């Protein structure tokens, strides 16, 4: 249960579905309630597939490219930390490559937004993927894998519920409320990223005999 809560909290914070709510509302403002629910479902489903694939296949990609786990942790930690700072400064959308002008264009040019830009890169970005690859290397027992898979399913379900209710969330919290929550989550995301970097550096120092 502890690993489940740890992984769920990390995934939820890094993906920050609340920060995706304004983008989702902008991209689906001309859709019906049923269509928005369908887009929310397929977005969460795509995120689920991407996360599960990253968790189980990511380590083989590391081996193929000759990337060490510590290097991945440092790179992932830097990406996660930068995402946290983007949340604190209110530039999360720009950090993910989604400017307001592009949101307006995407309404008219994209026939399927559940995969991109919603699932990738808004939710299942490099930081989330690198975190799961690192967890796969650290937690290899069957019970740990089940706990992590449960947290992936849980976070994907939370994405569906939040996106499905996005228009109500915007009405209830408003832009200022969402920004305030995103800034609070930003602190947590920064801490997760720094923790990954510290663990990797300590591991490297231990291997080199320091």
């Amino acid at each position: 249960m502890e690993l489940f809560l740890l992984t769920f909290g990390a995934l939820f914070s890094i993906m920050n579905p609340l920060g995706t709510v304004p983008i989702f509302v902008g991209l689906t403002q001309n859709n019906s309630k049923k269509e928005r629910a369908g887009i929310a479902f397929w977005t969460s489903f795509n995120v689920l597939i991407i996360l599960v694939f990253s968790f189980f296949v990511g380590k083989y990609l590391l081996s193929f490219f000759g990337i060490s786990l510590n290097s991945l942790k440092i790179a992932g930690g830097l990406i996660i930390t930068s995402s946290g700072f983007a949340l604190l400064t209110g530039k999360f959308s720009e950090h993910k490559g989604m400017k307001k002008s592009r949101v307006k264009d995407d309404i008219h040019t994209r026939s399927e937004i559940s995969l991109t830009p919603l699932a990738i890169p808004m939710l299942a970005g490099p930081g989330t993927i690198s975190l799961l690859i690192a967890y796969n290397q650290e937690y290899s027992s069957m019970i740990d894998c089940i706990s992590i898979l449960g947290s992936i399913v849980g976070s994907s379900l939370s994405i569906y519920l939040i996106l499905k209710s996005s228009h109500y969330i915007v009405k209830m919290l408003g832009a200022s409320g969402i920004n305030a929550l995103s800034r609070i989550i930003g602190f947590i995301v920064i801490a997760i990223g720094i923790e990954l970097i510290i663990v990797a550096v300590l591991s490297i120092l231990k291997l080199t005999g320091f």
Side-chain angles (χ1 to χ4, degrees):
M1 181 58 69
E2 182 179 352
L3 179 60
F4 171 84
L5 294 175
L6 172 68
T7 307
F8 178 83
L11 290 175
F12 187 88
S13 299
I14 297 172
M15 289 191 291
N16 187 29
L18 288 173
T20 309
V21 165
I23 302 295
F24 183 85
V25 171
L27 291 173
T28 61
Q29 60 183 349
N30 294 326
N31 294 95
S32 65
K33 183 177 180 181
K34 182 178 180 180
E35 289 173 337
R36 290 197 298 266
I39 294 173
F41 171 79
W42 285 112
T43 299
S44 60
F45 181 78
N46 288 332
V47 169
L48 175 64
I49 297 300
I50 293 168
L51 297 187
V52 171
F53 180 84
S54 301
F55 181 68
F56 285 108
V57 181
K59 62 180 180 181
Y60 300 108
L61 294 177
L62 288 183
S63 300
F64 179 79
F65 289 106
I67 302 173
S68 67
L69 177 60
N70 288 326
S71 297
L72 175 75
K73 286 182 177 180
I74 293 175
L78 291 173
I79 294 172
I80 292 170
T81 303
S82 66
S83 297
F85 279 111
L87 287 169
L88 283 177
T89 56
K91 297 181 179 180
F92 181 74
S93 298
E94 290 84 349
H95 177 77
K96 292 290 188 177
M98 286 300 299
K99 297 181 179 180
K100 291 183 179 179
S101 59
R102 288 187 58 188
V103 172
K104 294 179 180 179
D105 294 337
D106 284 347
I107 295 174
H108 303 289
T109 59
R110 292 188 185 276
S111 59
E112 182 53 68
I113 60 173
S114 61
L115 179 59
T116 176
L118 292 177
I120 301 175
M122 288 301 298
L123 294 166
T128 311
I129 293 172
S130 60
L131 179 73
L132 285 175
I133 295 175
Y135 277 7
N136 179 268
Q137 298 288 313
E138 293 183 14
Y139 305 102
S140 57
S141 69
M142 180 65 69
I143 296 178
D144 289 343
C145 288
I146 292 175
S147 298
I148 293 174
L149 285 175
S151 67
I152 291 174
V153 173
S155 59
S156 299
L157 179 60
S158 69
I159 289 172
Y160 169 69
L161 295 176
I162 289 174
L163 292 185
K164 184 180 178 181
S165 308
S166 58
H167 284 69
Y168 299 105
I169 293 174
V170 168
K171 290 180 181 179
M172 182 176 62
L173 296 179
S176 59
I178 293 174
N179 287 334
L181 286 175
S182 294
R183 282 169 168 76
I184 295 173
I185 293 174
F187 282 107
I188 301 174
V189 173
I190 292 173
I192 293 171
I194 292 177
E195 181 67 21
L196 276 178
I197 296 173
I198 291 175
V199 170
V201 171
L202 291 176
S203 178
I204 292 172
L205 292 176
K206 184 176 180 180
L207 290 174
T208 54
F210 285 95

